[in-house]
Amino acid sequence: KGGDGSEVEDQLKNVQQIQATHFAFAAILADGSVVAWGNSGNGGDCSAVQDQLRNVRHIQATPTAFAAILTDGSVIAWGNEVCGGDCSEV
């Protein structure tokens, strides 16, 4: 569950950090962008927020969601909305 990164393997260059939920992985690349893979409903698909995932400084994971802290201090979340994957109301 989340261990097959073959679909994003070519994007995983200059990886600076990796975090994992129970079902997905997210990697910060040297340019501050993020690549995610694994179960789409549990953080493996960040396409809905991909354009916001620039200048990422750190990623924190819950069991089924990710939150990224950007260099400006803002937070972008994705994954299971019930478990922290949606911070739009905050």
Side-chain angles (χ1 to χ4, degrees), residues 69-89:
I69 302 171
L70 308 187
T71 55
D72 67 3
S74 61
V75 175
I76 306 298
W78 71 98
N80 186 313
E81 294 177 4
V82 176
C83 296
D86 180 2
C87 63
S88 62
E89 298 290 321

Side-chain angles (χ1 to χ4, degrees), residues 1-23:
K1 310 228 188 221
D4 182 6
S6 60
E7 291 184 21
V8 297
E9 185 175 358
D10 61 325
Q11 299 173 57
L12 295 173
K13 308 290 186 222
N14 299 310
V15 173
Q16 304 298 301
Q17 177 188 354
I18 292 179
Q19 286 288 334
T21 67
H22 288 179
F23 306 99

Side-chain angles (χ1 to χ4, degrees), residues 37-80:
W37 68 98
N39 182 279
S40 61
N42 293 290
D45 179 5
C46 63
S47 60
V49 295
Q50 188 73 58
D51 61 328
Q52 300 171 65
L53 292 172
R54 300 284 177 249
N55 301 311
V56 174
R57 181 175 51 183
H58 181 75
I59 293 176
Q60 185 63 46
T62 71
T64 59
F66 292 107
I69 302 171
L70 308 187
T71 55
D72 67 3
S74 61
V75 175
I76 306 298
W78 71 98
N80 186 313

